[in-house]
Amino acid sequence: MNQLLDQARPRALSLLPGVWSPTPVTMRRWALATVAVNVGIVVTGAVVRVTGSGLGCPTWPRCTADSFVPVAHADISPLNMAVEFGNRLLSFVVLIVGLACLISAMRLRPRRRDLVTLAWIQPVGVAAQALWGGLVVRTMLNPVTVSVHFLLSIGMLAAAVVFLARSQEGNAAPEPLVHPAIRTLGLALVPSVALLLVAGVVVTGTGPHSGDEAASRFAFDIETVARIHADVVYVVVGLTFALLFALHVTKAPVAARRAALTLLGVELAQGIIGYVQYFLALPAFLVGLHVFGSTLVWICTLRVVFTLRSRGAFGTEALASP
């Protein structure tokens, strides 16, 4: 363990000067960090919900009526307060990493306007999420506001993944690497998985893990919405298998085939977790693991799309964005 920390420390420290004097390598590392922290805040948000800590800090922007940090409160468990406050603190980590990406993108030479635009999404998104989080608290964890809170995080994660992908390639005109019909099939996966995430949010908003006993729930039948969610899963898995098969028979680039195979594997693992948690009456740990799996499915889906075309190597493109 100590050896791993010793190896990671120099790499982490090398990122700091890379903010002001960025290179393609440090830019990619900051982009990867942005993806990681966005996944982290989605998962910790799920932890807040499954531990019943949604109102661990019952006010906003303060944690309690008279303190920005947790203090002893007769009606709130210290654990719940710590979990909720920890999730709030992680927002600052997302903001710091996002600002580092933005500064790096603005300082990079030659400047890439597309990277600057994508980098802006993180700090703006954190600000929007902070304001919306206040609404979530003030509405006593209304499932609509909680659902939108999650979907905003998914949008920020998508922007981070696109930022990472664009930081690994040039800015030339896209050159297709597969047949147009296959590219269309790959693109169709994005809205399909987005719909899957929305369906999952509805299931979550109907299920037992509300974040607090005082929170309301969607007035849907849990079995019905779970079946609809499962139906969308079948569509997504079917599209992924069709894409993988098409890539294989047309001898598409290895990177595209590997990305599609990885996506299928993640989807199958996520499906197993989903069925197990359903038949075990939604245990908290598996619910959190399922949320983590949803971020992996989303990341892998977006990654597939970028492997279906090429925009040249980083640094060989024109300055203008597409």
Side-chain angles (χ1 to χ4, degrees):
M1 183 66 179
N2 290 334
Q3 184 178 1
L4 290 176
L5 290 174
D6 290 340
Q7 293 175 350
R9 190 177 295 111
R11 181 170 295 181
L13 292 175
S14 69
L15 288 176
L16 298 179
V19 175
W20 194 252
S21 302
T23 66
V25 173
T26 60
M27 175 68 70
R28 287 192 290 271
R29 288 176 181 173
W30 277 114
L32 183 59
T34 304
V35 173
V37 295
N38 274 282
V39 170
I41 201 165
V42 170
V43 174
T44 57
V47 172
V48 169
R49 181 164 48 79
V50 299
T51 58
S53 305
L55 295 176
C57 287
T59 63
W60 186 94
R62 292 181 172 87
C63 183
T64 62
D66 53 1
S67 176
F68 282 96
V69 298
V71 294
H73 196 288
D75 300 325
I76 303 174
S77 162
L79 176 61
N80 289 345
M81 187 174 288
V83 171
E84 165 63 7
F85 187 70
N87 182 248
R88 292 189 182 189
L89 285 181
L90 190 55
S91 298
F92 290 99
V93 178
V94 178
L95 176 61
I96 291 170
V97 176
L99 288 173
C101 285
L102 176 59
I103 295 171
S104 295
M106 295 180 72
R107 295 281 301 172
L108 185 68
R109 296 295 181 270
R111 178 182 287 194
R112 288 265 301 271
R113 290 200 300 267
D114 60 325
L115 293 180
V116 174
T117 300
L118 287 167
W120 267 111
I121 294 176
Q122 296 305 313
V124 171
V126 170
Q129 281 286 64
L131 293 174
W132 193 266
L135 183 61
V136 171
V137 172
R138 293 175 185 275
T139 59
M140 299 292 290
L141 307 183
N142 182 282
V144 174
T145 59
V146 173
S147 298
V148 173
H149 201 38
F150 173 82
L151 293 175
L152 285 173
S153 289
I154 288 298
M156 289 180 62
L157 177 58
V161 173
V162 175
F163 182 79
L164 174 60
R166 295 293 290 122
S167 70
Q168 294 174 324
E169 63 184 8
N171 210 26
E175 178 184 346
L177 299 177
V178 297
H179 189 277
I182 297 177
R183 179 84 193 281
T184 300
L185 182 59
L187 290 173
L189 270 171
V190 177
S192 300
V193 173
L195 178 61
L196 177 62
L197 292 171
V198 172
V201 164
V202 174
V203 174
T204 298
T206 307
H209 298 291
S210 62
D212 191 271
E213 293 180 356
S216 59
R217 303 272 76 200
F218 286 130
F220 302 126
D221 176 65
I222 184 63
E223 184 172 342
T224 299
V225 293
R227 288 180 184 234
I228 293 174
H229 180 57
D231 289 341
V232 182
V233 170
Y234 296 144
V235 172
V236 169
V237 172
L239 287 173
T240 305
F241 182 80
L243 175 64
L244 181 61
F245 180 77
L247 292 172
H248 178 74
V249 297
T250 58
K251 301 188 185 304
V254 174
R257 283 181 280 166
R258 286 178 178 173
L261 181 60
T262 300
L263 173 60
L264 182 61
V266 171
E267 288 171 352
L268 294 177
Q270 177 75 336
I272 292 172
I273 295 171
Y275 273 109
V276 171
Q277 71 167 0
Y278 179 78
F279 288 113
L280 293 181
L282 304 176
F285 173 76
L286 288 182
V287 172
L289 189 61
H290 198 56
V291 171
F292 175 63
S294 71
T295 65
L296 295 184
V297 170
W298 188 225
I299 291 170
C300 292
T301 299
L302 297 171
R303 177 58 186 161
V304 165
V305 174
F306 284 94
T307 64
L308 303 180
R309 89 286 185 276
S310 172
R311 303 191 72 164
F314 194 106
T316 61
E317 70 284 344
L319 296 182
S321 295

